[in-house]
Amino acid sequence: IGFLAYIFVANVVSFNSNKLQLSQYEKNNISFEPMGAHSLGRGQFINEGSFLVYFVLSKIIGFLIPLVLIFAGPSDVAVMVTPSLVVVTAQAVAEQSTGSFHDVLRIIIPIGYSSYRLFGPLKLWALDSWILYLEKQQSTGEFIYTFNFLLAWADLVF
């Protein structure tokens, strides 16, 4: 929440709420498209097959499967997965709520959240899943702990 609040304050203080760019669009009768022509990639990648595959895979590996693990898996797995999923959700909310902000701030959102997630909750999830996998494989041999381990490391590498 603090990082997103900083981005909102920086947009107002440093970039005057991006009024210059938005007024230029309005003056030239250009419809602002934050997820299209005016996205960070300028709409070049949004319809590309490779980007769509990457986007779908990242949502499945980083959001959908961890969400299922939280509700359907054992509590010790859910405790590991939840912090990473919260950061992914916060990033999605931040990216959507800053669509009209200055480009400098819009690029900081995925960099900031991904960096924090990679070296914080995701790293802990990967390391803890490995320890839990070693403990549970010797005693119970349940597949869910193997799956948790593989998903955490796949998410870390992805």
Side-chain angles (χ1 to χ4, degrees):
I1 294 177
F3 179 65
L4 186 56
Y6 166 77
I7 297 295
F8 272 84
V9 170
N11 188 54
V12 172
V13 173
S14 299
F15 297 102
N16 195 23
S17 299
N18 204 22
K19 288 180 183 176
L20 179 62
Q21 183 179 21
L22 295 174
S23 68
Q24 290 295 325
Y25 291 146
E26 188 177 317
K27 178 181 170 185
N28 296 325
N29 285 334
I30 298 172
S31 177
F32 181 66
E33 302 173 42
M35 294 303 291
H38 304 110
S39 67
L40 292 173
R42 303 291 178 232
Q44 296 177 18
F45 307 106
I46 289 182
N47 295 320
E48 297 254 345
S50 58
F51 177 77
L52 293 173
V53 168
Y54 164 79
F55 187 76
V56 168
L57 280 175
S58 69
K59 298 310 163 218
I60 291 171
I61 292 172
F63 183 78
L64 187 60
I65 296 174
L67 185 64
V68 170
L69 268 179
I70 289 172
F71 291 107
S75 62
D76 49 358
V77 171
V79 168
M80 287 181 209
V81 175
T82 301
S84 181
L85 187 64
V86 168
V87 174
V88 167
T89 305
Q91 179 179 344
V93 168
E95 287 176 358
Q96 293 301 313
S97 64
T98 59
S100 63
F101 285 22
H102 193 277
D103 288 350
V104 170
L105 298 175
R106 290 174 59 204
I107 196 66
I108 289 173
I109 295 288
I111 292 170
Y113 278 97
S114 294
S115 298
Y116 172 74
R117 181 171 168 258
L118 181 64
F119 297 107
L122 190 52
K123 179 182 83 171
L124 290 175
W125 175 24
L127 294 175
D128 289 346
S129 71
W130 181 54
I131 294 167
L132 188 63
Y133 164 77
L134 293 176
E135 288 175 4
K136 297 295 183 172
Q137 281 305 104
Q138 294 171 356
S139 61
T140 64
E142 291 185 41
F143 176 72
I144 191 72
Y145 297 106
T146 305
F147 184 74
N148 176 49
F149 168 71
L150 293 173
L151 180 64
W153 284 91
D155 206 0
L156 185 67
V157 169
F158 194 72

